[in-house]
Amino acid sequence: EVELRPDLEGDLRLLDVEDKSSVEVTANSMTMREYAQRLEAHNQRLVEECTRMGGRCSLVEVGTPLDKVVRDVLRRGGWVAA
C-alpha cells in the first residue's frame, strides 16, 4: 500500500534499501501523479511479460502473510489446488 500510494509531501531524500543509493525529490501533486503513472506502466509491463512467457502474476503487498497470499490469491485464482 505504501509503495502504491505513498503519502509524501515536500523536499525529501529517498533511500534505496537494496543498494543504499539515494535521490532527492520534491513530492507534490505533479510528481506523485507521475510516480503513479510510471508505477502503473511498470506493473503492466510485468503482467505482459509474464503472460508472454506463459505465466501469471499478481500484485501482493509486501507485508501480506504467506498463508493469506496462498488462500486469497493463489487458491481463489485457481493457481493451486484447494
Side-chain angles (χ1 to χ4, degrees), residues 17-77:
V17 296
E18 294 174 354
D19 69 8
K20 305 301 184 220
S21 65
S22 65
V23 62
E24 293 184 5
V25 298
T26 298
N28 55 34
S29 61
M30 184 174 70
T31 56
M32 298 312 293
R33 192 169 35 256
E34 183 174 345
Y35 171 82
Q37 291 169 347
R38 288 183 181 201
L39 181 61
E40 177 62 30
H42 170 76
N43 288 340
Q44 185 59 41
R45 285 190 304 274
L46 291 175
V47 169
E48 290 167 0
E49 188 63 18
C50 285
T51 302
R52 185 181 74 77
M53 300 295 289
R56 298 184 272 184
C57 67
S58 180
L59 187 62
V60 177
E61 292 182 30
V62 171
T64 306
L66 182 57
D67 64 323
K68 184 171 175 60
V69 172
V70 171
R71 183 182 64 245
D72 294 349
V73 177
L74 302 180
R75 283 189 181 154
R76 289 185 185 160

